Amino acid sequence: MTNEVKDEQQQVKTQPVASNRKQHKAEKAEAKGQKKTWWVQIRLFPIWLRIILVLALVVAAIAAGLIIGYGYIGDGEPKDALKWETWQHILDILNGKEK
């Protein structure tokens, strides 16, 4: 009889552990689903604002490159790099309109 009692005790001990594992896995899966939804909902900057910000940074980088290239490397006046007359003069030279 003692063997039967030990067998019953072992079965009782193993059954809750198995159900606890299943329950734990289910809770983990549920938590992952909640975390995924939580991550999508939080945005510091909307997508349209990100696009505008990137475009503004690209324009600023181009302007800075023009000023550095024309003004400091090219021995010109840095302010002139952003004037339309300067670029019209450069285009005229490229098209052969100016001697």
Side-chain angles (χ1 to χ4, degrees), residues 20-34:
N20 284 341
R21 286 182 187 165
K22 289 179 184 177
Q23 187 179 16
H24 181 68
K25 285 183 181 180
E27 288 174 1
K28 257 186 164 179
E30 185 178 321
K32 283 183 182 179
Q34 289 175 352

Side-chain angles (χ1 to χ4, degrees), residues 1 5-6 15 18-19 27 33-34 48 53 56 59-60 98-99:
M1 276 213 338
V5 173
K6 288 181 183 179
Q15 287 176 352
S19 65
E27 288 174 1
Q34 289 175 352
W48 61 269
L53 184 65
V59 169
E98 194 170 311
K99 294 181 184 179

Side-chain angles (χ1 to χ4, degrees), residues 36-88:
K36 189 174 184 180
T37 304
W38 177 75
W39 180 255
V40 172
Q41 291 176 353
I42 293 180
R43 285 199 178 126
L44 296 177
F45 299 107
I47 293 174
W48 61 269
L49 185 60
R50 291 180 193 181
I51 293 170
I52 291 173
L53 184 65
V54 167
L55 290 176
L57 290 174
V58 167
V59 169
I62 290 171
L66 289 173
I67 290 171
I68 291 170
Y70 186 81
Y72 297 108
I73 297 173
D75 294 331
E77 185 65 31
K79 293 179 189 176
D80 290 342
L82 300 178
K83 292 182 180 178
W84 175 249
E85 292 83 20
T86 303
W87 292 102
Q88 188 64 46

